[in-house]
Amino acid sequence: MTAPIAPREVERFRAAIGRHTGLQFDDARLGFLGEVLQRRLTRLGRPGEAYLHALEHDPPPGEIGALAREVTVAETYFFRNGDQFRALAERVLPERMQIERPGRTLSLLSAGCASGEEAYSLAITAREAIPDPSWEIRIRAVDLNPAGLEKAARGRYSAWALRDTPPAAQRKWFRPDGADQILDDAIRRAVRFEARNLAVEDPELWSPGTYDVVFCRNVLMYFAPERMVAAIGRIAQALAPGGFLFLGHAETLRGVSDDFHLCHTHETFYYQRKDGTEPIVRRPPISAGADRAVATIVEYDGAWVDAIRTATERVASLVPGVDARIATVPAWDPAPALDLLRHERFAEALSHVQARPSDQVADPDVLLLEAMLLTHGGQLADAEITCGKLLALDELNAGAHYVLALCREHAGDGIAAAEHDRVAAYLDPGFAMPRLHLGLMARRVGDREAAQRELTQALFLLEREDAARLLLFGGGFNRDTLVKLCDQALRDSGGRS
Ligand SMILES: C[S@@+](CC[C@H](N)C(=O)[O-])C[C@H]1O[C@@H](n2cnc3c(N)ncnc32)[C@H](O)[C@@H]1O
């Protein structure tokens, strides 16, 4: 019988697990962690203090693995996010095969492979995409949780694990055995499984330039932000230049790494490691002030950017002239431009931004502000050029893609507009405006299903959207007005808010 666990001990337990595994647990999970700690103490017959001290300073062999069995999320299945395997087969592998290399070997890593379904899906995909036996495909799969690795080694799965497996692949690579499906030996032999910890330095695993492709999906979303940044840094180093990284659908590298280009093909997103010659600049997102005054809703029946212009002109006619206090600011500072923006004085804000000194010309935050202000003023060609400069510095800038979506829609290129909106929404899943824009465009072309889906999502996000971002991207409308506009558009599309 062990003594009851004190909250302080659960805190220490959470911190120690986080340090060893990179995993982050919020306060809502403290009760669960308390139960895990209790089970470990009962199992080991140790007092809490002795156990925690050892865990903090020198965990006994196998203890981190034993904890991983308890605390990791092991959900996975074959061909999860099947679009990514199509991109792998049709773009990534052919491209990697074109690269000059000493032998005909491709190296793939499934990092956080759980019970092996992802790694085996890689093996099946590679086998089918590269039938030429002169190519050797090395697939390595690593995980912290020994339970997953044991299951992977058995190669026996439930029908549920094959729920997204193409029927032809299922027939070819599996045979039924009672309620289970047994994986073909050729695929089992193609993957090497190992117990490894992605949260620690591991020079052998992360040897520079090793992998052509890394799948690390639905793993880093459970890491503390700084541990995710470190892990992505190791992956970037271990990928060959031009190698590819696949993350889970809900994971992005925005704000995490500048070492990758974003790829969008086969209706999915993934990343390609830069070749090392591009400039690398990372900046925090722009921070403006509070929400602003209510604007009058305008009838929206054309390009969204026209609605923005209408709002801009309306406001300009209401507030003529330049505020002397703002106009006489001596040294250049972006704050007055934000202040002018807050007061809907877009033309003056743009003049201020464009008068910045040469050392501020390539600041990504200011470029984004300039692009949005150009859009307000209807200077869309210039806005696009400015976005191009910004994306050359910060390719994962969701705001730049949103501004480009507005410009493309105005140019009558709805396909490119929707593509930029989708990139913006992927890069920043909390960004309401690209969803709203997608919904409004879908409504306009009569795609009710897409309109309802996007507008429902936009409505949810608008309620929670950052006030500073609404100021920058809201097109002259405040939160209430945008919510009303979105709500109305949703009803018009037959949806319910
Ligand atoms: C949700 S599963 C993802 C499986 C698969 N990648 C997929 O997307 O279907 C997450 C996996 O990450 C593993 N994991 C978590 N932290 C890890 C770490 N520090 N090192 C290695 N694997 C880790 C877990 O054990 C678990 O098997």
Side-chain angles (χ1 to χ4, degrees), residues 133-465:
S134 69
W135 277 94
E136 184 194 349
I137 316 294
R138 290 190 189 148
I139 302 174
R140 195 171 183 188
V142 300
D143 202 283
L144 189 61
N145 183 348
L149 298 170
E150 288 155 15
K151 183 171 170 192
R154 289 195 289 276
R156 169 184 281 268
Y157 294 94
S158 68
W160 182 238
L162 275 71
R163 61 190 178 275
D164 267 0
T165 304
Q170 189 164 335
R171 281 193 298 276
K172 186 163 182 191
W173 302 111
F174 294 86
R175 73 180 157 78
D177 182 31
D180 290 341
Q181 296 283 329
I182 310 286
L183 182 62
D184 188 279
D185 275 350
I187 299 300
R188 288 177 60 187
R189 280 196 304 270
V191 183
R192 177 159 63 108
F193 288 96
E194 292 164 68
R196 299 276 182 155
N197 186 349
L198 302 176
V200 299
E201 297 299 331
D202 182 339
E204 196 277 324
L205 181 63
W206 302 125
S207 170
T210 303
Y211 305 105
D212 292 286
V213 180
V214 172
F215 271 54
C216 186
R217 305 184 307 163
N218 309 298
V219 179
L220 300 179
M221 61 195 279
Y222 300 108
F223 274 35
E226 70 282 5
R227 305 299 290 274
M228 176 181 183
V229 170
I232 289 289
R234 287 191 282 271
I235 291 174
Q237 152 185 298
L239 270 170
F244 291 86
L245 168 63
F246 288 79
L247 298 176
H249 266 183
E251 298 165 319
T252 88
L253 292 184
R254 177 176 158 270
V256 172
S257 172
D258 296 306
D259 294 337
F260 295 86
H261 294 298
L262 178 65
C263 307
H264 188 194
T265 70
H266 301 81
E267 295 177 34
T268 191
F269 292 97
Y270 50 101
Y271 295 88
Q272 182 167 30
R273 209 199 104 169
K274 292 179 179 172
D275 65 12
T277 58
E278 297 89 344
I280 287 179
V281 180
R282 189 183 309 149
R283 301 292 162 99
I286 199 160
S287 62
D291 209 346
R292 62 189 189 73
V294 175
T296 320
I297 192 161
V298 297
E299 192 67 18
Y300 175 84
D301 60 0
W304 178 230
V305 76
D306 292 334
I308 292 175
R309 285 199 64 193
T310 308
T312 305
E313 283 157 14
R314 171 181 51 75
V315 167
S317 69
L318 289 174
V319 195
V322 180
D323 182 311
R325 181 181 57 82
I326 294 168
T328 55
V329 170
W332 198 84
D333 171 359
L338 293 170
D339 219 15
L340 285 162
L341 176 63
R342 196 171 296 116
H343 290 92
E344 305 188 345
R345 295 163 65 172
F346 305 113
E348 294 153 60
L350 180 61
S351 302
H352 181 74
V353 164
Q354 292 188 325
R356 66 194 184 275
S358 54
D359 64 343
Q360 300 282 329
V361 165
D363 181 305
D365 292 344
V366 184
L367 280 170
L368 182 58
L369 178 57
E370 182 178 7
M372 200 58 220
L373 291 169
L374 285 164
T375 308
H376 275 289
Q379 300 177 54
L380 299 174
D382 290 340
E384 288 202 60
I385 291 168
T386 304
C387 286
K389 290 180 194 161
L390 171 49
L391 288 174
L393 294 167
D394 177 10
E395 197 178 323
L396 306 186
N397 193 301
H401 282 287
Y402 172 63
V403 177
L404 283 172
L406 298 177
C407 297
R408 287 290 86 211
E409 187 208 8
H410 188 262
D413 186 354
I415 292 176
E419 165 73 8
H420 281 296
D421 275 330
R422 276 193 282 273
V423 172
Y426 162 73
L427 286 172
D428 187 346
F431 194 3
M433 294 310 293
R435 294 276 172 212
L436 176 60
H437 191 218
L438 278 168
L440 293 173
M441 288 195 295
R443 188 191 66 157
R444 200 142 56 93
V445 298
D447 184 347
R448 289 162 72 92
E449 195 186 321
Q452 286 175 26
R453 184 182 66 243
E454 299 298 345
L455 292 168
T456 303
Q457 182 69 9
L459 205 51
F460 174 84
L461 294 174
L462 277 171
E463 313 259 1
R464 293 154 183 81
E465 181 60 281

